[in-house]
Amino acid sequence: MQISKVQPVFKLELNHKVTPNIVTVAKYDGTHPCLTASAGYDKIIIHHPHGGVVSGRAQRSQAHGEISELNLSQAVIALAAGPLRPDSGRDMLLIGSPSQILAYDVHDNSDLFFKEAQDGVNVIITGTFGKYLDNLAIVGGNSSVQGLNWQGDEVFWNVVGGKVCSMITFDFDKDGENELLIGCEDSYIRVLKNNQFMTELAETGPVICLTPVTDVKFAYGLANGTIGIYEEGIRLWRVKSKQNTISLQWSGESLACCWENGRIDWREGHSGRVLRRVQLRSAAAAMLLVDYRSEGTPDLVCVSDRGEVLGYPPYQETTGFVSSKTLPSEEDRQAITELFNRKQALMVELQHYEANAASGSTSLEVAERPATSMPTNTRLQVAVTASPEEGCLELAIATNNETIVRAALVLAEGMFETGETLARHPAPAQLRSLLHAPLRPPRDVPVDVHIKALVGYADSEQFHIFELTKQLPRFSMYTLAPKTITSTKHGSHVTFRITERVQRICMWINQNFILEEDVELESEDAKELHVNFICLRDRSRLEMGFKADGQVKINTTDIRLAGDLVQSLAVFLNLADLQSVAHFPDAEKKLRDEMDNASDVGEMRSRLAAETAERAQLITALLPAAQDAAAYDLNAKSLQRSRDVERRAFGGMSRASCNTRTSCGFAQKPSHYFATGF
């Protein structure tokens, strides 16, 4: 790995703290880019270094002369910008609050629309996809996505299986039209074409970052620190980090990764190898690919949470990590790296052979055997079997000779509750050539299990490291049920019809399940197949029947499992369309209960809104009366003060006593009584 210091091409300070992941760049006047970010609970800052001072609601910041502040009455959840109006080339600012969306024209200081978001707001982007040719404001909520035009009208709406964490528009199937890629909290990347989901890509954590790479590639980032690249729906590579990614951008010829702790990596697109790296002075808030200098070339604009903004040029323009003047090609550098790795492996193997030769013949005593000796035919063997008694999969790691497995490290994403690594190191008295490790995949997705084992003799001081990778099939947590168990009658099932040979169905079952023996037909002329499985997680039943006329029936109480089975079989058989009929009474009842609860919540919200409007109308009506009462109270207090002055003037006598006193020479009221209102 070659890492070099990269100097930024520009640097500035916003003098405001920036909320992570709520940053965008827009051209509000159609020409000059402005950095817009959330600087607190309900405050937005707009940096306009190229002039064009923002006016209207935005007020000039006292902390920075090139920044204007826009104060709102609600929390800022998401920001986006784009040319929504078809008759204007200027960008409009989209502001998402927990339950509302505001489209604001910063240049003209006017609102395009104000929309209630019943399902909440998590992500907002702008773009076109499918049959929608105009720019739309695409809003991702807690369980749905919707598209709004520049007038605020809902153009499309669709349900998503989980909370939306990220979205991009991308030509996934290379048909000339963009599809909507949605990263969800339930660890799926869903592809929405027009108003139908065309595919799902299962991952091992919430998908928080998506970015296009080339015409057929896109990059993704997960909440567990994993990043990678897909090409035409096939994952090319992925790497894991202890930090979570903030943003991914394809800059020049490399993938730029911005992490939470402020580290920025440039990685090769085909392997993920780090080319160079820089570190910000504080945690990162955002990373954008924009032409902020207006020079025709987009820069990588990195923003920290303390308001520091750094701009880095694209990869092909800065080659400081290469020392020679004549730059080698990518193929030459890759060949050199492979040869170097091969050299290191051969050197280690040569050391092993020399150590074994020095140990003499195989009849030497244990005391004469070197610490690094190892039989040349030593192999590490790995097998996975189902353990119904323990309710898990049993991973067996063994050697093929008298050597023992001193310790094993099992790495698998999303597999273990305490993390992604399981270490097994038996006590010295329990060392054997066989080591077991339990595996419990929580979800029905394919998982790559990486195994690193220390192998040697029981009295060895140094051990050899063996590395293997074992892939668990998608439905590995289901094992064949004994033939003595009768079929269940729960009534939950899904049925569909296919035109495919039963032999192909057997191939699909053998590839997607872990079986002691492959499923085979009883005879070559058999045209029907019935298989029963037991789930190792909860001992639930799964029954699948394939009839000669193509009718398929899957009996299970888990509606998600039924959907996964149908989708997996359709992908294996390369079926574009498959009509199915599902009957799940328990799931339907639960759905109806949730809909009733949602209806009650909606009614309560409407009633509260009506009561709030009634109270506001009452307050508006009572406000003039309150003002009159306040004015009357002031007059009453003034009158009381006059009376107090009068009492002090007449020695504490009351007004009545003053009027009845004729011996004092007052034939009538003094003139000052009229002045005080008597």
Side-chain angles (χ1 to χ4, degrees):
M1 179 180 65
Q2 295 179 351
I3 301 177
S4 67
K5 296 182 179 179
V6 185
Q7 297 298 327
V9 292
F10 72 87
K11 179 179 178 181
L12 56 95
E13 294 284 347
L14 300 177
N15 295 335
H16 288 79
K17 291 186 177 181
V18 178
T19 305
N21 294 318
I22 311 181
V23 182
T24 187
V25 173
K27 297 180 180 180
Y28 299 119
D29 59 354
T31 305
H32 303 101
C34 299
L35 180 66
T36 308
S38 172
Y41 176 79
D42 56 355
K43 183 171 70 173
I44 296 174
I45 59 173
I46 302 176
H47 179 249
H48 38 82
H50 304 283
V53 179
V54 180
S55 59
R57 302 181 194 175
Q59 303 295 326
R60 182 67 66 87
S61 173
Q62 298 180 358
H64 199 294
E66 295 179 347
I67 289 181
S68 297
E69 299 178 358
L70 181 63
N71 294 313
L72 304 174
S73 58
Q74 291 191 0
V76 180
I77 301 298
L79 288 178
L84 293 181
R85 296 189 60 171
D87 57 347
S88 175
R90 294 181 285 105
D91 290 339
M92 308 298 165
L93 179 62
L94 294 168
I95 306 171
S97 62
S99 61
Q100 296 172 342
I101 307 160
L102 171 64
Y104 177 53
D105 189 343
V106 178
H107 186 268
D108 290 346
N109 186 29
S110 61
D111 295 340
L112 269 69
F113 63 83
F114 184 79
K115 186 78 172 181
E116 290 285 342
Q118 300 293 338
D119 195 39
V121 178
N122 296 319
V123 184
I124 303 177
I125 64 171
T126 60
T128 63
F129 82 100
K131 62 182 180 181
Y132 309 105
L133 302 180
D134 295 332
N135 277 303
L136 302 178
I138 306 173
V139 183
N142 294 324
S143 60
S144 66
V145 292
Q146 61 176 333
L148 308 175
N149 60 13
W150 70 277
Q151 295 176 329
D153 300 328
E154 186 176 276
V155 178
F156 77 91
W157 180 88
N158 208 322
V159 176
V160 184
K163 177 182 176 182
V164 179
C165 300
S166 58
M167 294 187 298
I168 59 170
T169 54
F170 178 74
D171 189 5
F172 183 82
D173 55 0
K174 299 186 297 183
D175 62 347
E177 293 183 349
N178 287 338
E179 284 75 43
L180 182 64
L181 271 66
I182 307 170
C184 301
E185 193 178 34
D186 61 353
S187 307
Y188 279 95
I189 302 175
R190 294 180 169 86
V191 182
L192 182 64
K193 185 176 180 64
N194 290 325
N195 209 18
Q196 294 182 351
F197 289 101
M198 59 180 296
T199 187
E200 290 182 348
L201 304 176
E203 278 299 330
T204 58
V207 185
I208 58 176
C209 290
L210 290 172
T211 187
V213 175
T214 61
D215 294 338
V216 294
K217 296 180 182 179
F218 71 91
Y220 71 95
L222 306 181
N224 58 16
T226 301
I227 61 173
I229 288 182
Y230 274 95
E231 181 177 7
E232 298 183 3
I234 301 175
R235 185 169 52 213
L236 296 182
W237 58 265
R238 62 179 175 184
V239 296
K240 182 72 169 60
S241 175
K242 295 182 180 180
Q243 297 291 330
N244 289 338
T245 180
I246 289 290
S247 177
L248 299 172
Q249 297 292 341
W250 182 255
S251 177
E253 300 174 357
S254 63
L255 179 65
C257 313
C258 182
W259 306 91
E260 279 186 348
N261 61 349
R263 190 180 77 244
I264 303 170
D265 298 335
W266 282 262
R267 297 176 179 268
E268 287 183 343
H270 64 276
S271 64
R273 183 173 64 92
V274 176
L275 300 174
R276 50 183 178 169
R277 176 178 295 165
V278 295
Q279 179 69 45
L280 302 179
R281 292 187 296 179
S282 60
M287 182 177 67
L288 306 168
L289 188 65
V290 292
D291 183 15
Y292 205 61
R293 296 180 294 165
S294 299
E295 293 187 356
T297 303
D299 296 323
L300 207 61
V301 180
C302 305
V303 185
S304 70
D305 60 352
R306 295 184 181 179
E308 181 184 18
V309 181
L310 301 175
Y312 296 96
Y315 165 73
Q316 65 266 24
E317 291 188 2
T318 54
T319 55
F321 60 94
V322 180
S323 58
S324 60
K325 295 183 179 179
T326 302
L327 303 178
S329 63
E330 182 66 26
E331 292 77 8
D332 294 339
R333 286 189 282 123
Q334 185 176 0
I336 293 173
T337 303
E338 293 177 356
L339 290 175
F340 181 77
N341 294 336
R342 180 61 178 167
K343 176 185 175 182
Q344 295 293 330
L346 292 175
M347 292 293 292
V348 173
E349 187 175 357
L350 179 60
Q351 292 177 2
H352 293 170
Y353 284 133
E354 292 177 350
N356 290 335
S359 63
S361 61
T362 57
S363 61
L364 290 177
E365 298 295 332
V366 175
E368 299 178 359
R369 186 176 61 227
T372 59
S373 64
M374 174 71 64
T376 57
N377 63 343
T378 303
R379 297 292 182 269
L380 190 68
Q381 300 172 346
V382 176
V384 179
T385 59
S387 178
E389 296 80 8
E390 299 294 334
C392 65
L393 298 175
E394 198 75 28
L395 176 65
I397 307 171
T399 60
N400 61 340
N401 49 33
E402 67 275 10
T403 57
I404 56 96
V405 181
R406 183 64 184 88
L409 196 65
V410 183
L411 297 92
E413 288 189 79
M415 179 74 71
F416 311 110
E417 296 180 357
T418 57
E420 297 185 356
T421 304
L422 175 66
R424 304 289 289 181
H425 42 86
Q430 300 176 352
L431 293 177
R432 301 289 186 274
S433 60
L434 178 63
L435 183 65
H436 292 279
L439 301 178
R440 293 181 174 85
R443 301 168 56 242
D444 295 328
V445 294
V447 180
D448 290 333
V449 180
H450 304 279
I451 304 162
K452 296 183 179 181
L454 299 180
V455 178
Y457 290 99
D459 58 344
S460 297
E461 297 180 357
Q462 299 179 5
F463 296 90
H464 293 255
I465 299 177
F466 287 80
E467 297 186 17
L468 286 177
T469 299
K470 178 73 173 180
Q471 186 179 46
L472 299 182
R474 182 168 186 176
F475 305 104
S476 59
M477 288 294 286
Y478 297 86
T479 184
L480 284 175
K483 296 182 179 180
T484 56
I485 298 180
T486 59
S487 301
T488 57
K489 303 295 182 182
H490 47 70
S492 300
H493 62 269
V494 58
T495 59
F496 54 91
R497 187 181 297 275
I498 58 176
T499 56
E500 191 62 60
R501 295 180 295 110
V502 184
Q503 288 78 2
R504 292 266 292 167
I505 304 300
C506 293
M507 294 174 58
W508 170 74
I509 294 176
N510 295 331
Q511 290 183 11
N512 289 272
F513 293 83
I514 294 182
L515 308 173
E516 295 183 0
E517 296 181 358
D518 291 345
V519 174
E520 297 180 354
L521 299 177
E522 296 180 356
S523 64
E524 296 181 356
D525 298 333
K527 297 182 179 180
E528 293 188 359
L529 178 65
H530 297 275
V531 289
N532 299 333
F533 294 91
I534 294 180
C535 180
L536 299 178
R537 299 188 186 97
D538 53 6
R539 308 292 298 176
S540 60
R541 299 291 301 281
L542 168 63
E543 302 173 1
M544 295 188 293
F546 304 88
K547 296 184 178 181
D549 59 353
Q551 186 75 15
V552 181
K553 185 175 182 180
I554 300 175
N555 292 305
T556 177
T557 56
D558 189 351
I559 189 172
R560 178 180 288 275
L561 172 61
D564 292 340
L565 290 168
V566 173
Q567 185 177 11
S568 176
L569 183 59
V571 172
F572 180 81
L573 300 178
N574 197 19
L575 301 177
D577 297 319
L578 182 62
Q579 296 183 356
S580 61
V581 179
H583 180 66
F584 292 88
D586 296 338
E588 184 178 356
K589 182 178 182 300
K590 184 178 179 181
L591 177 60
R592 291 184 180 276
D593 294 340
E594 295 296 335
M595 293 178 64
D596 292 339
N597 293 335
S599 178
D600 295 340
V601 171
E603 292 179 0
M604 179 63 69
R605 181 182 297 173
S606 300
R607 184 160 56 250
L608 290 176
E611 292 179 358
T612 302
E614 183 180 356
R615 296 289 193 277
Q617 185 178 3
L618 181 61
I619 291 173
T620 303
L622 294 178
L623 184 60
Q627 293 176 349
D628 294 342
Y632 177 78
D633 186 56
L634 292 176
N635 293 334
K637 290 181 179 179
S638 177
L639 177 61
Q640 184 63 34
R641 286 196 298 270
S642 300
R643 288 178 176 177
D644 294 340
V645 172
E646 179 184 341
R647 289 191 184 97
R648 287 194 296 270
F650 290 97
M653 292 184 297
S654 65
R655 176 183 172 187
S657 61
C658 292
N659 290 337
T660 56
R661 288 180 58 193
T662 56
S663 59
C664 294
F666 291 100
Q668 58 184 0
K669 296 180 181 180
S671 60
H672 70 272
Y673 280 100
F674 295 97
T676 56
F678 285 98

